[in-house]
Amino acid sequence: MSYTQASPGPEAATDQVRASLISSHSAVHPGDEILIGVHQQIIPHWHTYWKNPGDSGLPTKIQYQLPPGWSVGEIQWPTPSKIVLGPVVNYGYHDAVTLLSSLRVAEDAEVGRDWPISAKAKWLVCEEACIPQEVELGIQLPVVAKGVEVGPAHPLITAAQKSWPVLLPWQASLLEGPAGTLRLHLNGEQLPASDQQALAFYPDQWGPISHAGEQITTLVDHGLDISLQSGDQPLTAGQTLNGVLTVGSGDALRAYQIKAAWPASANDIQAEPDPALAGQSLPTALLLALVGGLILNLMPCVFPVLSLKALALIEQAAHDPSKTRRHGWAYLAGILVSFTALAAVLLALKAGGASIGWGFQFQSPSFVLILAYLIFAVGLSLSGVFDIGAGITGFGNQLATRSGYSGSFFTGVLAAIVATPCTAPFMGAALGFAITQPPATMIAVFISLGTGLALPYWLLCQWPILQRWLPKPGAWMNTLKQGLAFPMYATAAWLIWVLARQAGPAAVAGALGGCVLIALAVWLFRISRNATQIKRRIINSGASLILLLAFVAGELGIETPINTAYPTDAKNQNWQAYSAEKLAQLRSEGKPVFVNFTADWCITCLVNERVALSSEAVRSTFHNAQVTYLKGDWTNRDADIAKVLSQFGRSGVPLYLYFGPGAQEATVLPQILTPDLVIGAIQSARL
């Protein structure tokens, strides 16, 4: 395939700027990567602009036309200078500047031929007035065989490379300053002396800071602070301030690339990009939420509830298919209404300034108590202690186990409630995205998550052909129904254990006493069915009073002030309690740190700790690599942990972070762990 295009000359001039298209070498080999760019020679008192021009101006743009198979990268911007025109502050270049990009030659570029390269360059050149200008440039670039000399590097390109900012040798973070300001904090060894060397920060983008604002440098304990005035578009949670820091002046000027997240404290964390969050958009979040909802069906916190409707579906399989379909729609509606309500509560709490996230309701001991009672009552019903219609509809378990459409609806509600302490893969990215979005977007993501949770049962209801895979109804179903009571009892026991961790032994005593009272009330309701009308009213009134006493007993246990600390086996414990100060200290000492943000009500967290983090292989790796293992407990509300979760785009636990020795950024591990994943992250950071 031939490539023919008339190329303009290598130089072009306006009244203010002479431009040249230059390459790092006069010839290239097939597959080479070289530098190519436009050199601007600017007359005195005039200037062109940096990628962030400041309060006014436009950056220079270069559009290349290349042979097929050749490619060119982004402009590598040299360090700018500050241009002050009264109250207006711009960033740009005087006298001369070279704007370079990497050029990759096609692997199959024909040897012995001169290939034309052209560029259309546009810029704004200003003194007191500004003039937009455009030129076309072109060169012929010979391709020679490998091993043939391509000539020395172009001196202008060599000089331009020296003006590029280099990686920052110190740790950088953003700290909150007085009203309307933020502090760019540097710490490390051999920091510049602020009283002897001028420091200036140039933001990559317009808006985060005021370009005309005074930048004050002060020495502080363990570092150096540069005070920056906030701009017209201040940073918000999770955003990053990028830019260039210059130190010194004239020939001694040094320039460094800076990246720091906001908001921050002295102990804030920077993260490597999370692949699950890369390129996040609403369609991506909806898909991730749908898949996460599907996987929730396999989680141990949801399976006991779904088993109720599985039995009901087997019973319905031989009846009218249209009735079965309506049950599927009722179940779907129960889940979607619940997830929409949950999103609405999150939005209301968020609007009130609360730090909230997925599973936030399990941080309330009262909610955990009520759910434990509800699950326990459902277990009693499955065991045959009482039957539907026994008069306990107010408690809620009858709604979840009755045979009508309301039963399907409230089973969906119950499934949605018990799903919240579980986290499936892909959910973290979707929910983290949703929490930061406008209300309509957030509700859409939650509806997608609920749709995924409801989808398997809904599909079975809508397509009778799928029901052929289900076993035939029979006497075995009653036995299985009674057997399914035990996962309910186990769930209730787990919830009471969570309550113990939240509110102490007194809460356990209250909850267990409440369970006894509920069982007594259910028994009274049952025996009242064969009594006379007057006796039935008396017995049912007594049973209702006992139910009320069950809730009172549970609440009294929660509110009793008692030491909730539990003794731990220090010999076998391989972790320390997380605190921001502890993490900051370990990082400042350059030590490797693994951080586990968890909660006792998070089933996924508990499984990960048992399967991966407590395994002998991981313990041994932690010991050999001298990794400090910190555990942050989010069982009860903790604003500091909520802040870290938000910083990493997560709406809840689990969150696993690993800091390699001396690392400035955290490696984010998946939400579902295996020993190999943890060990691999530690070994990769040591390479």
Side-chain angles (χ1 to χ4, degrees):
M1 178 177 178
S2 62
Y3 176 79
T4 59
Q5 180 174 327
S7 296
E11 293 187 359
T14 67
D15 291 340
Q16 293 79 22
V17 180
R18 176 174 292 275
S20 305
L21 181 61
I22 58 176
S23 63
S24 56
H25 294 84
S26 58
V28 293
H29 305 118
D32 273 358
E33 184 170 336
I34 66 168
L35 291 173
I36 191 170
V38 174
H39 175 74
Q40 295 177 330
Q41 191 72 38
I42 309 165
I43 66 174
H45 311 301
W46 291 72
H47 60 268
T48 58
Y49 292 94
W50 188 46
K51 60 182 174 181
N52 172 17
D55 291 330
S56 64
L58 293 171
T60 298
K61 295 183 178 180
I62 306 172
Q63 182 179 358
Y64 290 93
Q65 292 188 355
L66 307 171
W70 298 44
S71 61
V72 67
E74 298 294 326
I75 294 176
Q76 301 292 318
W77 294 90
T79 302
S81 59
K82 191 174 292 187
I83 302 165
V84 181
L85 300 170
V88 176
V89 174
N90 295 326
Y91 305 133
Y93 309 102
H94 289 100
D95 301 327
V97 63
T98 305
L99 304 177
L100 299 174
S101 301
S102 62
L103 173 69
R104 180 172 291 278
V105 182
E107 293 285 351
D108 58 354
E110 183 180 345
V111 174
R113 180 176 176 182
D114 292 347
W115 291 92
I117 309 294
S118 63
K120 180 182 292 185
K122 300 179 181 180
W123 61 76
L124 186 69
V125 60
C126 299
E127 187 193 26
E128 293 181 355
C130 291
I131 306 173
Q133 297 178 341
E134 176 181 327
V135 299
E136 292 191 18
L137 306 166
I139 58 174
Q140 299 287 328
L141 201 56
V143 175
V144 298
K146 292 186 181 297
V148 176
E149 290 292 333
V150 294
H154 197 294
L156 285 177
I157 289 184
T158 302
Q161 288 178 287
K162 294 179 181 179
S163 66
W164 290 351
V166 298
L167 292 177
L168 188 72
W170 312 293
Q171 290 187 353
S173 58
L174 284 181
L175 309 179
E176 188 172 3
T181 66
L182 57 154
R183 292 182 293 142
L184 180 58
H185 179 74
L186 306 177
N187 61 35
E189 297 182 356
Q190 298 181 344
L191 287 168
S194 60
D195 57 342
Q196 299 176 10
Q197 296 174 295
L199 277 74
F201 176 74
Y202 299 84
D204 276 1
Q205 295 181 329
W206 178 89
I209 73 167
S210 170
H211 304 124
E214 185 179 9
Q215 299 184 3
I216 302 174
T217 305
T218 55
L219 288 172
V220 295
D221 292 340
H222 310 297
L224 187 70
D225 278 359
I226 304 174
S227 177
L228 306 172
Q229 293 185 16
S230 298
D232 293 335
Q233 293 182 355
L235 297 176
T236 58
Q239 290 187 323
T240 300
L241 181 66
N242 299 321
V244 173
L245 176 70
T246 62
V247 179
S249 59
D251 294 338
L253 181 74
R254 292 170 290 157
Y256 305 99
Q257 297 173 354
I258 279 189
K259 178 181 180 181
W262 175 263
S265 68
N267 305 312
D268 265 352
I269 306 165
Q270 294 179 342
E272 291 182 354
D274 189 341
L277 295 172
Q280 186 75 289
S281 62
L282 178 58
T284 303
L286 292 175
L287 178 61
L288 293 177
L290 182 69
V291 176
L294 282 169
I295 297 176
L296 276 181
N297 287 280
L298 304 177
M299 295 296 176
C301 45
V302 181
F303 183 77
V305 177
L306 295 183
S307 62
L308 298 176
K309 296 315 294 179
L311 284 175
L313 184 62
I314 293 173
E315 291 177 345
Q316 297 162 8
H319 299 95
D320 184 5
S322 63
K323 183 178 179 181
T324 302
R325 293 190 184 97
R326 288 193 289 272
H327 276 286
W329 284 109
Y331 177 74
L332 174 64
I335 288 181
L336 295 187
V337 168
S338 300
F339 274 95
T340 302
L342 178 60
V345 173
L346 286 171
L347 286 169
L349 293 174
K350 181 181 175 184
S355 297
I356 44 83
W358 179 252
F360 73 96
Q361 66 271 37
F362 280 84
Q363 294 176 330
S364 167
S366 295
F367 176 85
V368 174
L369 173 70
I370 293 173
L371 185 60
Y373 283 171
L374 176 60
I375 295 295
F376 177 69
V378 171
L380 291 177
S381 177
L382 291 173
S383 294
V385 175
F386 70 99
D387 298 324
I388 302 306
I392 198 170
T393 57
F395 189 68
N397 67 293
Q398 181 182 8
L399 293 171
T401 54
R402 64 196 302 174
S403 58
Y405 299 126
S406 61
S408 294
F409 179 89
F410 282 99
T411 302
V413 172
L414 188 59
I417 291 174
V418 299
T420 49
C422 288
T423 304
F426 315 116
M427 277 180 57
L431 293 175
F433 171 82
I435 292 293
T436 64
Q437 299 303 305
T441 301
M442 181 175 172
I443 291 174
V445 173
F446 272 70
I447 289 177
S448 182
L449 179 61
T451 301
L453 177 60
L455 195 57
Y457 180 78
W458 182 86
L459 288 174
L460 282 170
C461 290
Q462 302 310 307
W463 279 277
I465 191 172
L466 297 177
Q467 298 170 18
R468 296 177 183 176
W469 294 42
L470 298 175
K472 298 295 182 181
W476 63 270
M477 292 177 58
N478 189 52
T479 302
L480 178 59
K481 178 181 177 181
Q482 294 177 2
L484 288 174
F486 293 96
M488 293 296 178
Y489 296 141
T491 302
W494 163 67
L495 288 169
I496 293 175
W497 173 77
V498 171
L499 193 64
R501 304 288 291 181
Q502 290 177 317
V508 176
L512 293 177
C515 287
V516 174
L517 291 174
I518 289 172
L520 175 59
V522 167
W523 177 73
L524 289 174
F525 278 125
R526 181 171 183 174
I527 65 172
S528 71
R529 288 182 299 175
N530 299 322
T532 64
Q533 185 175 3
I534 295 177
K535 289 183 178 180
R536 185 182 307 119
R537 290 179 179 177
I538 295 173
I539 294 173
N540 287 347
S541 297
S544 299
L545 180 61
I546 289 173
L547 280 178
L548 179 61
L549 289 176
F551 288 101
V552 171
E555 285 296 323
L556 287 176
I558 291 172
E559 295 174 2
T560 301
I562 192 167
N563 181 14
T564 61
Y566 284 78
T568 58
D569 186 351
K571 181 178 179 181
N572 294 321
Q573 179 177 299
N574 67 327
W575 54 269
Q576 302 176 34
Y578 165 84
S579 71
E581 293 75 16
K582 180 68 174 178
L583 177 60
Q585 176 188 350
L586 293 168
R587 292 179 62 200
S588 65
E589 295 171 357
K591 295 181 178 179
V593 187
F594 184 92
V595 188
N596 167 20
F597 292 106
T598 182
D600 290 333
W601 41 260
C602 171
I603 295 289
T604 307
C605 305
L606 300 178
V607 172
N608 285 338
E609 289 180 24
R610 179 61 61 88
V611 172
L613 299 179
S614 297
S615 70
E616 190 59 38
V618 170
R619 283 172 172 262
S620 177
T621 300
F622 280 173
H623 176 75
N624 295 336
Q626 297 182 325
V627 175
T628 301
Y629 175 16
L630 301 180
K631 183 184 289 189
D633 190 354
W634 207 45
T635 301
N636 294 316
R637 290 185 177 92
D638 187 305
D640 290 337
I641 293 178
K643 183 179 178 181
V644 176
L645 294 174
S646 175
Q647 188 177 343
F648 283 85
R650 295 291 174 84
S651 63
V653 292
L655 173 64
Y656 305 105
L657 307 176
Y658 178 64
F659 299 88
Q664 295 186 20
E665 298 182 339
T667 299
V668 182
L669 277 72
Q671 291 177 292
I672 307 298
L673 293 182
T674 64
D676 289 343
L677 278 173
V678 179
I679 294 170
I682 295 172
Q683 292 177 343
S684 297
R686 298 177 66 185
L687 296 177

PDB file of all heavy atoms in Angstrom, residues 339-359:
ATOM      1  N   PHE A 339     -35.139  -2.373  47.836  1.00  0.00           N
ATOM      2  CA  PHE A 339     -33.882  -1.733  47.434  1.00  0.00           C
ATOM      3  C   PHE A 339     -34.098  -0.251  47.118  1.00  0.00           C
ATOM      4  O   PHE A 339     -33.221   0.571  47.378  1.00  0.00           O
ATOM      5  CB  PHE A 339     -33.273  -2.466  46.240  1.00  0.00           C
ATOM      6  CG  PHE A 339     -32.416  -3.631  46.629  1.00  0.00           C
ATOM      7  CD1 PHE A 339     -32.933  -4.909  46.663  1.00  0.00           C
ATOM      8  CD2 PHE A 339     -31.093  -3.447  46.965  1.00  0.00           C
ATOM      9  CE1 PHE A 339     -32.147  -5.981  47.031  1.00  0.00           C
ATOM     10  CE2 PHE A 339     -30.287  -4.519  47.339  1.00  0.00           C
ATOM     11  CZ  PHE A 339     -30.820  -5.784  47.378  1.00  0.00           C
ATOM     12  N   THR A 340     -35.250   0.083  46.576  1.00  0.00           N
ATOM     13  CA  THR A 340     -35.537   1.496  46.330  1.00  0.00           C
ATOM     14  C   THR A 340     -35.664   2.249  47.649  1.00  0.00           C
ATOM     15  O   THR A 340     -35.154   3.372  47.792  1.00  0.00           O
ATOM     16  CB  THR A 340     -36.834   1.647  45.510  1.00  0.00           C
ATOM     17  OG1 THR A 340     -36.699   0.929  44.279  1.00  0.00           O
ATOM     18  CG2 THR A 340     -37.111   3.114  45.203  1.00  0.00           C
ATOM     19  N   ALA A 341     -36.325   1.633  48.628  1.00  0.00           N
ATOM     20  CA  ALA A 341     -36.452   2.261  49.944  1.00  0.00           C
ATOM     21  C   ALA A 341     -35.085   2.415  50.604  1.00  0.00           C
ATOM     22  O   ALA A 341     -34.791   3.445  51.233  1.00  0.00           O
ATOM     23  CB  ALA A 341     -37.383   1.435  50.826  1.00  0.00           C
ATOM     24  N   LEU A 342     -34.236   1.395  50.456  1.00  0.00           N
ATOM     25  CA  LEU A 342     -32.890   1.477  51.024  1.00  0.00           C
ATOM     26  C   LEU A 342     -32.105   2.616  50.396  1.00  0.00           C
ATOM     27  O   LEU A 342     -31.428   3.389  51.089  1.00  0.00           O
ATOM     28  CB  LEU A 342     -32.159   0.149  50.813  1.00  0.00           C
ATOM     29  CG  LEU A 342     -30.711   0.078  51.300  1.00  0.00           C
ATOM     30  CD1 LEU A 342     -30.630   0.343  52.794  1.00  0.00           C
ATOM     31  CD2 LEU A 342     -30.097  -1.276  50.964  1.00  0.00           C
ATOM     32  N   ALA A 343     -32.217   2.744  49.072  1.00  0.00           N
ATOM     33  CA  ALA A 343     -31.525   3.851  48.398  1.00  0.00           C
ATOM     34  C   ALA A 343     -32.057   5.194  48.881  1.00  0.00           C
ATOM     35  O   ALA A 343     -31.293   6.145  49.069  1.00  0.00           O
ATOM     36  CB  ALA A 343     -31.700   3.722  46.882  1.00  0.00           C
ATOM     37  N   ALA A 344     -33.381   5.276  49.097  1.00  0.00           N
ATOM     38  CA  ALA A 344     -33.965   6.533  49.570  1.00  0.00           C
ATOM     39  C   ALA A 344     -33.453   6.893  50.962  1.00  0.00           C
ATOM     40  O   ALA A 344     -33.154   8.064  51.248  1.00  0.00           O
ATOM     41  CB  ALA A 344     -35.493   6.423  49.578  1.00  0.00           C
ATOM     42  N   VAL A 345     -33.339   5.893  51.837  1.00  0.00           N
ATOM     43  CA  VAL A 345     -32.805   6.152  53.181  1.00  0.00           C
ATOM     44  C   VAL A 345     -31.347   6.609  53.102  1.00  0.00           C
ATOM     45  O   VAL A 345     -30.927   7.543  53.797  1.00  0.00           O
ATOM     46  CB  VAL A 345     -32.939   4.890  54.058  1.00  0.00           C
ATOM     47  CG1 VAL A 345     -32.242   5.082  55.392  1.00  0.00           C
ATOM     48  CG2 VAL A 345     -34.405   4.564  54.286  1.00  0.00           C
ATOM     49  N   LEU A 346     -30.566   5.943  52.268  1.00  0.00           N
ATOM     50  CA  LEU A 346     -29.175   6.347  52.086  1.00  0.00           C
ATOM     51  C   LEU A 346     -29.081   7.788  51.591  1.00  0.00           C
ATOM     52  O   LEU A 346     -28.236   8.566  52.058  1.00  0.00           O
ATOM     53  CB  LEU A 346     -28.483   5.403  51.098  1.00  0.00           C
ATOM     54  CG  LEU A 346     -28.140   4.007  51.611  1.00  0.00           C
ATOM     55  CD1 LEU A 346     -27.675   3.121  50.469  1.00  0.00           C
ATOM     56  CD2 LEU A 346     -27.062   4.072  52.672  1.00  0.00           C
ATOM     57  N   LEU A 347     -29.938   8.143  50.641  1.00  0.00           N
ATOM     58  CA  LEU A 347     -29.930   9.514  50.122  1.00  0.00           C
ATOM     59  C   LEU A 347     -30.284  10.511  51.212  1.00  0.00           C
ATOM     60  O   LEU A 347     -29.670  11.585  51.311  1.00  0.00           O
ATOM     61  CB  LEU A 347     -30.917   9.631  48.957  1.00  0.00           C
ATOM     62  CG  LEU A 347     -30.476   9.000  47.633  1.00  0.00           C
ATOM     63  CD1 LEU A 347     -31.647   8.951  46.652  1.00  0.00           C
ATOM     64  CD2 LEU A 347     -29.314   9.777  47.023  1.00  0.00           C
ATOM     65  N   ALA A 348     -31.281  10.171  52.047  1.00  0.00           N
ATOM     66  CA  ALA A 348     -31.677  11.076  53.122  1.00  0.00           C
ATOM     67  C   ALA A 348     -30.554  11.254  54.136  1.00  0.00           C
ATOM     68  O   ALA A 348     -30.260  12.376  54.576  1.00  0.00           O
ATOM     69  CB  ALA A 348     -32.936  10.543  53.806  1.00  0.00           C
ATOM     70  N   LEU A 349     -29.899  10.148  54.512  1.00  0.00           N
ATOM     71  CA  LEU A 349     -28.790  10.244  55.461  1.00  0.00           C
ATOM     72  C   LEU A 349     -27.606  10.990  54.864  1.00  0.00           C
ATOM     73  O   LEU A 349     -26.938  11.779  55.535  1.00  0.00           O
ATOM     74  CB  LEU A 349     -28.364   8.834  55.895  1.00  0.00           C
ATOM     75  CG  LEU A 349     -29.392   8.059  56.719  1.00  0.00           C
ATOM     76  CD1 LEU A 349     -28.902   6.646  56.962  1.00  0.00           C
ATOM     77  CD2 LEU A 349     -29.657   8.760  58.038  1.00  0.00           C
ATOM     78  N   LYS A 350     -27.369  10.736  53.587  1.00  0.00           N
ATOM     79  CA  LYS A 350     -26.280  11.428  52.894  1.00  0.00           C
ATOM     80  C   LYS A 350     -26.539  12.932  52.852  1.00  0.00           C
ATOM     81  O   LYS A 350     -25.623  13.740  53.065  1.00  0.00           O
ATOM     82  CB  LYS A 350     -26.144  10.865  51.477  1.00  0.00           C
ATOM     83  CG  LYS A 350     -25.024  11.484  50.647  1.00  0.00           C
ATOM     84  CD  LYS A 350     -25.019  10.857  49.261  1.00  0.00           C
ATOM     85  CE  LYS A 350     -24.003  11.527  48.356  1.00  0.00           C
ATOM     86  NZ  LYS A 350     -24.057  10.978  46.977  1.00  0.00           N
ATOM     87  N   ALA A 351     -27.793  13.317  52.575  1.00  0.00           N
ATOM     88  CA  ALA A 351     -28.140  14.740  52.533  1.00  0.00           C
ATOM     89  C   ALA A 351     -27.961  15.386  53.894  1.00  0.00           C
ATOM     90  O   ALA A 351     -27.674  16.582  53.996  1.00  0.00           O
ATOM     91  CB  ALA A 351     -29.579  14.913  52.049  1.00  0.00           C
ATOM     92  N   GLY A 352     -28.132  14.594  54.967  1.00  0.00           N
ATOM     93  CA  GLY A 352     -27.943  15.119  56.310  1.00  0.00           C
ATOM     94  C   GLY A 352     -26.513  15.131  56.769  1.00  0.00           C
ATOM     95  O   GLY A 352     -26.227  15.487  57.921  1.00  0.00           O
ATOM     96  N   GLY A 353     -25.587  14.708  55.892  1.00  0.00           N
ATOM     97  CA  GLY A 353     -24.167  14.762  56.229  1.00  0.00           C
ATOM     98  C   GLY A 353     -23.643  13.530  56.925  1.00  0.00           C
ATOM     99  O   GLY A 353     -22.513  13.525  57.406  1.00  0.00           O
ATOM    100  N   ALA A 354     -24.432  12.446  56.994  1.00  0.00           N
ATOM    101  CA  ALA A 354     -23.989  11.237  57.681  1.00  0.00           C
ATOM    102  C   ALA A 354     -23.049  10.431  56.797  1.00  0.00           C
ATOM    103  O   ALA A 354     -23.145  10.451  55.575  1.00  0.00           O
ATOM    104  CB  ALA A 354     -25.192  10.378  58.069  1.00  0.00           C
ATOM    105  N   SER A 355     -22.139   9.710  57.448  1.00  0.00           N
ATOM    106  CA  SER A 355     -21.244   8.790  56.744  1.00  0.00           C
ATOM    107  C   SER A 355     -21.933   7.435  56.690  1.00  0.00           C
ATOM    108  O   SER A 355     -22.059   6.754  57.711  1.00  0.00           O
ATOM    109  CB  SER A 355     -19.894   8.687  57.468  1.00  0.00           C
ATOM    110  OG  SER A 355     -19.245   9.921  57.482  1.00  0.00           O
ATOM    111  N   ILE A 356     -22.413   7.041  55.533  1.00  0.00           N
ATOM    112  CA  ILE A 356     -23.206   5.827  55.422  1.00  0.00           C
ATOM    113  C   ILE A 356     -22.644   4.935  54.329  1.00  0.00           C
ATOM    114  O   ILE A 356     -21.794   5.340  53.540  1.00  0.00           O
ATOM    115  CB  ILE A 356     -24.688   6.161  55.120  1.00  0.00           C
ATOM    116  CG1 ILE A 356     -24.827   7.255  54.036  1.00  0.00           C
ATOM    117  CG2 ILE A 356     -25.367   6.631  56.369  1.00  0.00           C
ATOM    118  CD1 ILE A 356     -24.739   6.810  52.656  1.00  0.00           C
ATOM    119  N   GLY A 357     -23.124   3.698  54.307  1.00  0.00           N
ATOM    120  CA  GLY A 357     -22.649   2.773  53.284  1.00  0.00           C
ATOM    121  C   GLY A 357     -23.510   1.533  53.268  1.00  0.00           C
ATOM    122  O   GLY A 357     -24.484   1.393  54.018  1.00  0.00           O
ATOM    123  N   TRP A 358     -23.155   0.599  52.405  1.00  0.00           N
ATOM    124  CA  TRP A 358     -23.882  -0.651  52.242  1.00  0.00           C
ATOM    125  C   TRP A 358     -23.880  -1.420  53.561  1.00  0.00           C
ATOM    126  O   TRP A 358     -22.851  -1.605  54.185  1.00  0.00           O
ATOM    127  CB  TRP A 358     -23.226  -1.466  51.152  1.00  0.00           C
ATOM    128  CG  TRP A 358     -23.856  -2.787  50.885  1.00  0.00           C
ATOM    129  CD1 TRP A 358     -23.342  -4.009  51.195  1.00  0.00           C
ATOM    130  CD2 TRP A 358     -25.110  -3.032  50.241  1.00  0.00           C
ATOM    131  NE1 TRP A 358     -24.195  -5.001  50.790  1.00  0.00           N
ATOM    132  CE2 TRP A 358     -25.296  -4.424  50.185  1.00  0.00           C
ATOM    133  CE3 TRP A 358     -26.091  -2.204  49.703  1.00  0.00           C
ATOM    134  CZ2 TRP A 358     -26.410  -5.014  49.628  1.00  0.00           C
ATOM    135  CZ3 TRP A 358     -27.210  -2.797  49.141  1.00  0.00           C
ATOM    136  CH2 TRP A 358     -27.360  -4.183  49.103  1.00  0.00           C
ATOM    137  N   GLY A 359     -25.065  -1.883  53.974  1.00  0.00           N
ATOM    138  CA  GLY A 359     -25.180  -2.606  55.234  1.00  0.00           C
ATOM    139  C   GLY A 359     -25.199  -1.704  56.449  1.00  0.00           C
ATOM    140  O   GLY A 359     -25.060  -2.187  57.576  1.00  0.00           O
TER     141      GLY A 359
END
